[in-house]
Amino acid sequence: MSALKIKKGSNKHSAYNLRPNFSDVTERHTLAVLVDNEAGVLARVIGLFSGRGYNIESLTVAEVDHLGKLSRITIVTTGTPQVIEQIKAQLGRIVPVHDVHDLTVEGASVERELALFKVAGEGDKRVEALRLADIFRANVVDSTLESFVFEITGTPEKIDAFADLMRPLGLEEVARTGVAALSRGV
Amino acid sequence: MTRQMTGAKIVVQALKDQGVEVVFGYPGGAVLPIYDEIFQQNAIRHILVRHEQAAIHAAEGYARSTGKPGVALVTSGPGATNAVTGLTDALLDSIPIIVFSGQVPTFMIGNDAFQEADTVGITRPCTKHNWLVRETDALSSTIHEAFHVATSGRPGPVLIDVPKDVQFANGTYEAPTKTRTSHYQPQVKGDMDEITKLVDALERAKRPIFYTGGGVINSGSAACQLLRELVDATGAPITSTLMGLGAYPANGKGWLGMLGMHGLYEANMAMHDCDLMINIGARFDDRITGTIDHFSPNSTKVHIDIDPSSINKVIRADIPIVGDVGHVLEDVLKVWKARGRKTNTEAMAKWWKKIEEWKTRDCLSYKQTGKIIKPQYALERLEALTKDHDRYITTEVGQHQMWAAQFLGFNDPHRWMTSGGLGTMGYGFPASIGVQLAHPESLVINVAGEASWLMNMQEMGTAIQFDLPVKQFILNNERLGMVRQWQELLHGERYSHSWSESLPDFVKLAEAFGAKGIRCDDPEKLDDAIIEMLEYDGPVIFDCLVEKHENCFPMIPSGAAHNEMLMGNDSTGDAIGAKGAVLV
């Protein structure tokens, strides 16, 4: 576990860690869920969200510890503080879930997302797209005479901003991975 | 110790090693190898039900009445889908059961094979956990893990889907080990700081109340003993949910009766007016709280629950304690005693005086006049004539269930089996079969309504085949009584499809199955008829013809608070407002 840089058990007694103020304000939280990499585990997590009416803004999953057969699911969700606490508690009682971390409240964290943008155009628009891609530190991973595929990494906000800029320049298709996130420091 | 054997044999061996004595099931193509193994041994008794739903409810009845997990075995496809209602029922009431389902062979999964269903997909939201076992070598460890998951933490149903080729193939059997390898280890000890806060609040409380639920019974008989000790030593009143009846004795001095929608006036008023509410193993269900906005507005709320997701789900807890009821109560008692067994005696005496005033409302009163049996009277007589028996009660769902909870007294845990969370009509009869199997010498009565009872009446065959003297006490009002009551209160007395048309002659029905049928429609003959039922050595269908339009009171109307109960003699015209009408 320690190799994965996850503080173990810091959210074990979620009921005790409630913030005193139960406001009605909707918050955005990034949750990191460590699960056994077994058949159906993603369906359990998604089924929990759909069955109980919680939101999923973004979800990524991949095996992160091959020997320990553990996968990490990163979920960006929204809800009032009470709903967020309930989501964490409900996730925690799924049997193959080992740990649930709320990166939004457990200190500082970094969030990154990768996206691919296909932009088609000619002349000035094509030059402008390339110039903006350079500013955003996007890489060209495919190129034809009529199109580029850009690869960009960053926070979801940065990728949103890049999408806004590409739209008038001939944006054809977007593929985004969803958020991957880790807490800062050790 | 490891041995080589077929998957089917592994299933039976694992059940033996887990101490299973009874399996409720129904055979079919995808479980034939397991049935073949069952045929060749005598350690485990198989009870053939007449419908898979009944197998699950019977396993639930067995589990609730013994505290041990119940086991069921069904085939693939329709066998598994028929089990879904029972699984959901067990999930909502936290009953430990292990269900084995057959599956088409692994190489045919996904091909829409005959009697194929995505059983783990279908049952994922209605089990605590489930497994599809693709390799025979993984079978024994999965079964042992399944027993661990079903019975530890907040108990619940689990399902193991076993493809037919896995049952035929040879694999390694591993016996269960004492040392737990599972990472699933729910917290059982409560936080001592919070426990101290609870004791502190208890010492100072002027108007405390214990509000207990099924979690106390699930925690075990030691937890029930500790609860009794704590309640009696502090002298505080106690009320309980439908699921928790019997954890504290109905003849105990602190007992206020059940609370909630059809709970007792004094219990609900005390919940509303208390200054300290100690919730032990209950979950603030909507049948309990009434409208949340007005739920017990001036109390400090303590919530003891083994499931962290129960805490702050509905009602915000001021003192949350995650842990097993037994462990937590032990610590609470220890701390409370060490600090000198203090309570606010003076204020408590005043509190009890108030409660005694509420009791004088006599909220369960009814009038038995004339020639028609009132359902309340029938249950009062049943209670009087059976309370000294070694008695277990199951129920179906509806008015009769609420009356049974109001009029029957339970002095011990595990004596009362009812479908609380899911409200499953058809639960009681198969559950009574499971209970009777676990307690062959005891009196087992299913208090039923005629409509609920018909939903699983095929189990008469099971009762006769296995010689189970279950008593089916049917309060027959030829109505879906609770539906009818709501239509009266909420839908302008338009009784849409809420009467029982074309009912069978229950006496002849009993005789057709080889059981005894008794009909009674005269209050004066009721006692004799009940005694006749009790004295008959075999299953009985007791058709008790009761008042058709009796409503179940007291009642917290939908959308109302605990202190706004409707009583039997109140006008009910506009009891439920527009906001309450959308609630169930």
Side-chain angles (χ1 to χ4, degrees):
Chain A
M1 198 84 72
S2 58
L4 298 166
K5 303 283 185 207
I6 292 172
K7 274 177 249 158
K8 190 169 184 264
S10 61
N11 195 34
K12 204 169 161 198
H13 317 292
S14 68
Y16 298 121
N17 295 346
L18 284 169
R19 285 148 296 154
N21 172 20
F22 259 30
S23 76
D24 290 332
V25 180
T26 299
E27 298 176 348
R28 177 181 178 277
H29 283 241
T30 304
L31 308 179
V33 187
L34 206 65
V35 299
D36 285 325
N37 184 15
E38 62 180 35
V41 66
L42 186 60
R44 284 179 211 285
V45 170
I46 294 172
L48 168 68
F49 276 75
S50 63
R52 292 185 184 265
Y54 305 141
N55 299 316
I56 299 180
E57 291 215 332
S58 150
L59 183 144
T60 64
V61 55
E63 190 177 71
V64 290
D65 178 358
H66 187 66
L67 285 178
K69 289 189 179 167
L70 293 173
S71 288
R72 185 177 172 111
I73 302 176
T74 309
I75 306 167
V76 180
T77 184
T78 55
T80 62
Q82 184 179 13
V83 169
I84 299 285
E85 291 303 327
Q86 190 53 211
I87 290 172
K88 288 188 276 185
Q90 293 289 351
L91 283 169
R93 71 185 198 143
I94 296 176
V95 172
V97 167
H98 288 245
D99 257 317
V100 181
H101 288 270
D102 186 342
L103 297 175
T104 306
V105 297
E106 293 174 19
S109 61
V110 284
E111 288 189 3
R112 287 294 180 270
E113 187 176 0
L114 186 144
L116 298 174
F117 285 79
K118 185 177 285 178
V119 181
E122 289 171 352
D124 287 350
K125 282 189 172 178
R126 186 170 158 86
V127 177
E128 184 63 12
L130 199 58
R131 209 175 62 80
L132 285 167
D134 193 40
I135 293 168
F136 274 76
R137 293 190 190 132
N139 298 319
V140 177
V141 291
D142 177 68
S143 173
T144 68
L145 289 174
E146 301 88 37
S147 69
F148 289 118
V149 174
F150 296 119
E151 172 207 56
I152 180 169
T153 315
T155 61
E157 293 75 21
K158 178 183 167 185
I159 292 170
D160 287 345
F162 189 66
D164 287 345
L165 289 170
M166 287 299 116
R167 211 160 281 124
L169 300 176
L171 182 61
E172 295 276 325
E173 266 187 278
V174 185
R176 298 174 68 150
T177 59
V179 172
L182 282 179
S183 60
R184 288 179 186 270
V186 277
Chain B
M1 193 183 68
T2 61
R3 276 181 284 163
Q4 290 290 309
M5 58 181 86
T6 65
K9 210 173 185 106
I10 285 175
V11 170
V12 173
Q13 187 60 46
L15 292 179
K16 282 182 196 166
D17 288 351
Q18 289 288 348
V20 174
E21 288 162 0
V22 183
V23 172
F24 301 91
Y26 203 100
V31 281
L32 284 178
I34 298 174
Y35 270 88
D36 199 34
E37 287 300 328
I38 286 173
F39 188 82
Q40 299 175 53
Q41 54 84 47
N42 289 315
I44 295 169
R45 194 165 173 217
H46 178 273
I47 304 301
L48 178 72
V49 293
R50 296 327 194 238
H51 187 289
E52 287 89 349
Q53 184 192 351
I56 313 297
H57 293 324
E60 283 186 272
Y62 182 92
R64 289 189 204 209
S65 67
T66 59
K68 295 192 284 188
V71 179
L73 171 60
V74 301
T75 193
S76 66
T81 56
N82 278 344
V84 165
T85 301
L87 288 166
T88 313
D89 190 90
L91 183 72
L92 279 176
D93 285 347
S94 305
I95 307 303
I97 55 170
I98 294 99
V99 176
F100 290 85
S101 56
Q103 182 54 279
V104 301
T106 50
F107 53 85
M108 290 178 81
I109 289 176
N111 281 332
D112 298 327
F114 177 64
Q115 292 195 329
E116 179 182 356
D118 175 10
T119 302
V120 285
I122 290 168
T123 60
R124 201 173 283 132
C126 61
T127 52
K128 185 175 173 186
H129 197 58
N130 61 13
W131 295 264
L132 168 63
V133 182
R134 289 176 173 274
E135 282 149 16
T136 308
D137 279 340
L139 195 51
S140 56
S141 60
T142 304
I143 296 170
H144 300 320
E145 169 81 358
F147 274 84
H148 169 64
V149 169
T151 54
S152 49
R154 180 178 181 172
V158 297
L159 177 138
I160 308 170
D161 203 24
V162 192
K164 198 172 182 183
D165 55 335
V166 173
Q167 298 170 34
F168 272 124
N170 270 305
T172 308
Y173 178 78
E174 282 175 43
T177 48
K178 285 256 157 45
T179 49
R180 292 277 186 226
T181 49
S182 169
H183 87 83
Y184 181 75
Q185 303 293 346
Q187 179 189 345
V188 291
K189 289 285 277 184
D191 185 286
M192 282 315 284
D193 291 345
E194 299 294 329
I195 286 172
T196 310
K197 274 191 217 167
L198 158 58
V199 172
D200 194 55
L202 188 58
E203 287 169 351
R204 287 184 289 115
K206 292 181 177 142
R207 301 182 306 280
I209 187 165
F210 287 97
Y211 147 45
T212 60
V216 184
I217 293 169
N218 274 339
S219 181
S221 46
C224 296
Q225 275 311 318
L226 289 163
L227 174 73
R228 290 160 185 226
E229 191 185 340
L230 182 65
V231 172
D232 291 344
T234 57
I238 175 171
T239 179
S240 162
T241 67
L242 184 73
M243 294 304 299
L245 297 177
Y248 183 85
N251 59 12
K253 66 183 170 102
W255 182 240
L256 300 187
M258 181 177 77
L259 83 161
M261 184 173 268
H262 292 289
L264 272 67
Y265 180 75
E266 50 268 34
N268 284 334
M269 289 302 282
M271 284 289 279
H272 187 270
D273 284 8
C274 69
D275 70 344
L276 175 66
M277 177 187 298
I278 305 168
N279 173 343
I280 308 176
R283 60 184 175 91
F284 294 110
D285 179 87
D286 55 59
R287 299 297 96 165
I288 295 305
T289 58
T291 179
I292 289 169
D293 299 343
H294 305 292
F295 177 71
S296 191
N298 303 312
S299 59
T300 300
K301 294 171 187 78
V302 182
H303 192 175
I304 303 169
D305 204 302
I306 198 161
D307 179 358
S309 78
S310 280
I311 290 174
N312 293 321
K313 183 175 72 179
V314 180
I315 298 291
R316 204 179 134 67
D318 301 294
I319 305 177
I321 301 174
V322 176
D324 167 60
V325 168
H327 285 82
V328 173
L329 288 184
E330 198 179 346
D331 286 339
V332 170
L333 269 166
K334 222 180 272 172
V335 175
W336 181 71
K337 284 176 183 166
R339 288 167 53 131
R341 298 166 165 267
K342 281 178 283 197
T343 54
N344 191 338
T345 329
E346 214 169 292
M348 196 97 87
K350 262 195 203 158
W351 178 225
W352 269 109
K353 217 174 137 216
K354 187 85 198 156
I355 291 170
E356 294 304 330
E357 265 171 49
W358 287 325
K359 281 187 179 174
T360 59
R361 278 294 293 266
D362 195 11
C363 67
L364 296 182
S365 68
Y366 68 93
K367 284 198 193 83
Q368 174 60 53
T369 50
K371 291 300 264 174
I372 297 170
I373 300 172
K374 289 269 188 179
Q376 299 97 322
Y377 178 73
L379 286 169
E380 212 164 65
R381 294 318 301 157
L382 184 73
E383 168 73 356
L385 294 168
T386 62
K387 67 177 177 194
D388 296 328
H389 285 66
D390 173 19
R391 180 190 76 177
Y392 292 82
I393 299 283
T394 68
T395 76
E396 306 286 346
V397 168
Q399 285 182 323
H400 68 273
Q401 177 190 28
M402 293 298 108
W403 281 316
Q406 292 170 344
F407 286 90
L408 306 182
F410 300 94
N411 295 328
D412 292 298
H414 303 299
R415 297 282 173 161
W416 163 249
M417 274 58 58
T418 191
S419 172
L422 194 64
T424 310
M425 291 171 72
Y427 165 86
F429 185 11
S432 71
I433 284 178
V435 175
Q436 188 78 74
L437 263 155
H439 309 278
E441 302 303 322
S442 306
L443 171 64
V444 180
I445 304 173
N446 174 33
V447 176
E450 84 289 345
S452 279
W453 192 82
L454 287 174
M455 282 202 179
N456 267 323
M457 59 160 273
Q458 77 285 343
E459 294 310 310
M460 282 306 292
T462 311
I464 295 292
Q465 181 184 342
F466 294 95
D467 208 7
L468 302 168
V470 287
K471 314 298 185 209
Q472 304 302 314
F473 192 73
I474 301 175
L475 298 176
N476 184 352
N477 59 1
E478 300 179 6
R479 300 288 183 278
L480 312 187
M482 195 59 95
V483 173
R484 195 208 62 79
Q485 178 169 346
W486 279 59
Q487 286 171 336
E488 180 182 323
L489 295 179
L490 199 62
H491 293 281
E493 301 183 41
R494 291 180 296 280
Y495 298 123
S496 182
H497 297 272
S498 57
W499 68 93
S500 298
E501 193 77 69
S502 310
L503 282 173
D505 178 329
F506 284 103
V507 174
K508 281 188 185 155
L509 182 71
E511 285 161 2
F513 273 103
K516 183 177 179 65
I518 301 172
R519 179 174 295 117
C520 182
D521 61 357
D522 182 349
E524 291 186 0
K525 292 179 184 154
L526 183 60
D527 276 22
D528 287 344
I530 291 175
I531 289 165
E532 188 187 352
M533 170 181 87
L534 299 177
E535 284 177 351
Y536 183 73
D537 183 19
V540 176
I541 301 179
F542 190 108
D543 185 16
C544 187
L545 299 174
V546 297
E547 165 67 49
K548 297 185 200 309
H549 299 115
E550 189 69 16
N551 282 337
C552 184
F553 290 113
M555 176 182 186
I556 303 176
S558 299
H562 274 163
N563 59 348
E564 301 170 321
M565 294 196 86
L566 282 178
M567 307 299 267
N569 44 9
D570 288 346
S571 131
T572 55
D574 52 357
I576 300 177
K579 252 178 112 178
V582 299
L583 304 171
V584 288

